Amino acid sequence: MATRPARPPATQAAYVLHRYDWSESSLILDLFTREQGRIAVVAKGAKRPYSQLRSVLLPFQRIQVTLGKPPRPAEPSAESTSEVQTLRGAEWAGGHAMLTGAALFSGFYLNELLMKLLARSDAHPALFDAYAETLPLMASADDGIVQAALRAFELALLQQVGVLPDLSCVTMTQAEVDPAGRYLLLPEQGVVTARGRENELAGQTLVGLQAALQHGSLVALQQACAPALQELKLLLRALLHYHLGSPVLRTRQVMLDVQALER
């Protein structure tokens, strides 16, 4: 006899990834929750001037949301993951100040990655925790810290959605990566031995990245990224674009447009 999946708690931690207008007074929200992953909810009356939700449903702020019961599927085997749930309430759960300036672009970049790479109702508690840890680092005045945090989150996200190869071995041969060797990370081939091409990664870097991913420590992963930030940025960008099917993310294009205007 098949067991039914456990019903998610009515109240759970969440972040607002995106919001859409729905009627004159309501919103449709894409939430990233720890227990249910990315879900869509309707916040009725949230746009009204006196709604307590107006000051709560903001991006990059951890909130506690209370949801209505998910709709029952028509048949026991049917899926209802695409259904929109009703937001019954939301409260600020504490956290850091709102992101501003360049940090705001970085935050929206993280949100866009989650929106495009995560399937609905696919829970990733470890990724939720990584997102929560990464957000405050976006406001750092040290660009090295920001870049290491971004690369670490990209790696964690790719691993969580199942498209990141084992970085400690050559993908085609499964031979162990030589710490003294040089390698590339390619979208269609995974880890390959480098042959004098740009953006090579040291084998030691790959081994360190894989060890940090297996350990599950975001801090360790950020430290493993630090020695090769520029190379990782270009290699991971190609890998992300391959899996997204898009050459340029909307957030990145807006950032490029703003930089062009400032010149």
Side-chain angles (χ1 to χ4, degrees):
M1 182 177 178
T3 58
R4 293 183 178 180
R7 177 177 292 176
T11 301
Q12 51 189 296
Y15 287 92
V16 175
L17 295 180
H18 196 62
R19 48 191 281 172
Y20 315 84
D21 289 335
W22 186 64
S23 79
E24 294 183 358
S25 62
S26 302
L27 295 169
I28 296 288
L29 305 170
D30 246 302
L31 298 182
F32 184 32
T33 68
R34 198 174 191 279
E35 288 81 5
Q36 288 180 269
R38 187 170 69 89
I39 60 173
V41 303
V42 57
K44 296 179 180 178
K47 292 166 62 179
R48 291 173 180 157
Y50 54 82
S51 173
Q52 63 91 17
L53 294 174
R54 285 171 61 91
S55 61
V56 176
L57 300 178
L58 302 173
F60 319 125
Q61 297 294 299
R62 190 181 181 115
I63 57 178
Q64 286 291 127
V65 296
T66 303
L67 305 176
K69 292 181 180 180
R72 286 187 177 184
E75 301 176 7
S77 61
E79 297 287 341
S80 61
T81 56
S82 62
E83 298 289 349
V84 177
Q85 295 178 243
T86 300
L87 181 70
R88 301 297 185 191
E91 295 181 352
W92 184 61
H96 299 266
M98 284 290 293
L99 300 179
T100 59
L104 196 62
F105 284 110
S106 297
F108 281 123
Y109 169 71
L110 298 181
N111 286 3
E112 188 173 2
L113 288 180
L114 292 172
M115 288 279 293
K116 292 187 173 181
L117 283 173
L118 290 186
R120 287 200 187 278
S121 300
D122 186 14
H124 292 281
L127 186 61
F128 180 92
D129 294 341
Y131 177 80
E133 290 182 50
T134 300
L135 280 179
L137 297 178
M138 297 300 94
S140 173
D142 187 331
D143 187 60
I145 291 176
V146 175
Q147 294 303 316
L150 287 171
R151 302 295 81 79
F153 184 80
E154 290 168 345
L155 284 164
L157 174 57
L158 290 166
Q159 182 199 45
Q160 285 288 309
V161 298
V163 296
L164 186 71
D166 185 332
L167 302 180
S168 65
C169 62
V170 178
T171 303
M172 293 297 291
T173 65
Q174 292 299 292
E176 291 185 2
V177 162
D178 180 358
R182 306 291 295 180
Y183 299 87
L184 290 171
L185 179 60
L186 303 179
E188 296 185 350
Q189 298 170 267
V191 178
V192 300
T193 303
R195 303 186 186 281
R197 297 172 61 177
E198 295 180 351
N199 307 317
E200 297 176 358
L201 289 172
Q204 184 175 0
T205 298
L206 286 172
V207 172
L209 291 172
Q210 185 63 34
L213 285 165
Q214 290 180 334
H215 185 270
S217 167
L218 191 66
V219 173
L221 187 56
Q222 292 163 359
Q223 293 172 346
C225 289
L229 289 178
Q230 185 59 29
E231 295 86 352
L232 278 172
K233 181 177 183 178
L234 296 174
L235 292 173
L236 290 176
R237 181 182 297 173
L239 194 59
L240 286 164
H241 289 168
Y242 176 82
H243 291 292
L244 289 167
S246 171
V248 181
L249 289 166
R250 182 181 301 175
T251 309
R252 176 167 171 74
Q253 185 59 58
V254 171
M255 183 171 62
L256 291 173
D257 291 344
V258 170
Q259 290 174 344
L261 290 173
E262 292 176 346
R263 290 172 185 168

